[in-house]
Amino acid sequence: TKAPKAPSLTSFSNDTGKVGDRLTSDSTLDLAGKAEAGSTVDIYSGDAHLGSAVASSNGVWTFSTVSLQDGLH
């Protein structure tokens, strides 16, 4: 069995700073990305597991975080 390719993060909202700088002051994020169709994407902030998303048949996954504290994630 071959492991799937690593998933990618293609966007998050709300990007409250300069668009594309990957910085935000928003505490609840909507994440989106690409992964192998049907694969499970685990979402972490450091060592904390925030949840999982399953990639659709076209490889798109989305995930909305709970409210996060200010800091690096």
Side-chain angles (χ1 to χ4, degrees):
T1 306
K2 189 176 179 182
K5 292 181 182 179
S8 64
L9 177 65
T10 57
S11 68
F12 70 94
S13 63
N14 291 319
D15 188 348
T16 59
K18 180 181 173 187
V19 174
D21 66 0
R22 302 181 84 73
L23 298 174
T24 184
S25 61
D26 192 352
S27 64
T28 55
L29 301 176
D30 294 319
L31 309 174
K34 295 286 243 168
E36 192 169 302
S39 64
T40 299
V41 178
D42 289 307
I43 310 299
Y44 286 87
S45 175
D47 292 333
H49 185 252
L50 301 179
S52 301
V54 176
S56 66
S57 60
N58 63 352
V60 174
W61 60 267
T62 60
F63 182 81
S64 295
T65 69
V66 296
S67 184
L68 302 170
Q69 293 181 344
D70 285 347
L72 297 174
H73 297 282

